[in-house]
Amino acid sequence: MFEFYEEVGLSRPALLERISANVKASRFKHILGVEKAAIKLAEKYGVNPHKASLAALLHDYCKEETDTTFLSLIDKYHLDEDLKNWDNNIWHGKVGIWKMREDFGLQDDEILRAIEIHTVGSQEMSELAKVLYVADYIEEGRDFPGVVEARCVAWDDLNKAVAFETMRLVNYLAERRFTIYPETFEAYNAFIGHLR
Ligand code: GDP
Ligand code: FE
Ligand code: FE
Ligand code: FE
């Protein structure tokens, strides 16, 4: 396990302390599950496991922030006004990275981008971003119809895993008549060919 995260200037225990103080216990458990999966995926697919660990540990750090916090961050950093039409599900990644910059001094663009798109994906994803996106979906605590198949695909091919997850996500959201964030469709279109 990693002892120090130079990107945030914190030892592992200090970082875990900060994160666990910001999220409920069940979410902290999920975060550690995502880290475990992300490190394994990183090792399999040639991604820096230390970066995968840090991206995973921080990815849901902002999930319990208030709507007011996100709305003021959108103003403060002059982010896309359209973000105001969405909610916590979209904000905790897309807007959350600005709070992570503030709270941790995190500047690593690859890690920030991976966290930014961990919920919605994107047509262009770094290998680190793919690892985080997939790890979030398959971590050992996840239990939903299709998770076993998702895990199988994840250990077979990373691009297929992104495609599979995005296909299932679009399906899930559409069945429930939820609005779908445009980048989710862009990710779907960019990756679905890997599943054919
Ligand atoms: P979590 O933070 O570990 O729970 O997982 P995610 O960050 O991947 O997803 C958070 C929530 O956002 C989940 O309930 C997803 O179903 C939902 N979500 C993901 N993409 C979209 C989208 O395009 N539109 C909407 N409305 N919800 C989405
Ligand atoms: Fe999330
Ligand atoms: Fe996800
Ligand atoms: Fe998550």
Side-chain angles (χ1 to χ4, degrees):
M1 206 44 79
F2 306 104
E3 279 167 29
F4 191 78
Y5 294 90
E6 54 282 350
E7 296 91 337
V8 292
L10 291 172
S11 68
R12 181 177 176 86
L15 177 61
L16 294 185
E17 182 61 42
R18 292 272 297 272
I19 296 164
S20 65
N22 214 46
V23 298
K24 59 189 183 203
S26 59
R27 178 150 294 116
F28 189 64
K29 193 163 173 244
H30 160 70
I31 286 170
L32 293 179
V34 175
E35 186 203 20
K36 195 169 158 189
I39 291 173
K40 278 171 75 178
L41 288 167
E43 283 166 348
K44 176 164 169 70
Y45 293 112
V47 169
N48 181 333
H50 184 270
K51 281 197 174 200
S53 162
L54 182 55
L57 289 175
L58 287 177
H59 86 283
D60 279 341
Y61 170 75
C62 291
K63 192 86 189 245
E64 287 157 38
E65 296 299 336
T66 62
D67 290 0
T68 314
T69 298
F70 288 121
L71 289 166
S72 52
L73 285 165
I74 293 170
D75 286 336
K76 182 171 178 187
Y77 293 104
H78 310 291
L79 309 182
D80 185 354
E81 287 285 321
D82 171 65
L83 281 165
K84 293 184 179 173
N85 299 318
W86 298 84
D87 63 10
N88 178 284
N89 285 332
I90 302 301
W91 294 336
H92 78 281
K94 301 229 62 138
V95 183
I97 56 163
W98 293 90
K99 181 135 179 60
M100 292 171 211
R101 285 179 188 270
E102 288 186 350
D103 288 9
F104 295 99
L106 178 60
Q107 291 185 355
D108 184 304
D109 287 325
E110 199 193 0
I111 293 175
L112 287 165
R113 180 66 182 156
I115 296 171
E116 182 180 16
I117 62 176
H118 85 267
T119 305
V120 293
S122 173
Q123 55 189 326
E124 284 264 332
M125 296 171 76
S126 70
E127 300 303 290
L128 177 69
K130 293 174 193 171
V131 160
L132 179 60
Y133 184 76
V134 172
D136 188 27
Y137 199 64
I138 65 158
E139 64 97 355
E140 62 192 10
R142 293 283 198 204
D143 182 19
F144 56 83
V147 73
V148 172
E149 195 180 353
R151 289 187 182 116
C152 286
V153 182
W155 302 115
D156 171 38
D157 182 295
L158 190 57
N159 287 316
K160 268 190 200 172
V162 172
F164 183 85
E165 172 178 339
T166 310
M167 179 268 289
R168 285 294 170 89
L169 177 66
V170 167
N171 217 17
Y172 170 91
L173 295 168
E175 274 176 354
R176 283 161 186 76
R177 277 64 171 153
F178 290 156
T179 50
I180 299 181
Y181 197 72
E183 264 182 292
T184 303
F185 285 124
E186 290 175 11
Y188 175 87
N189 289 337
F191 284 91
I192 197 63
H194 290 283
L195 269 190
R196 288 198 290 260

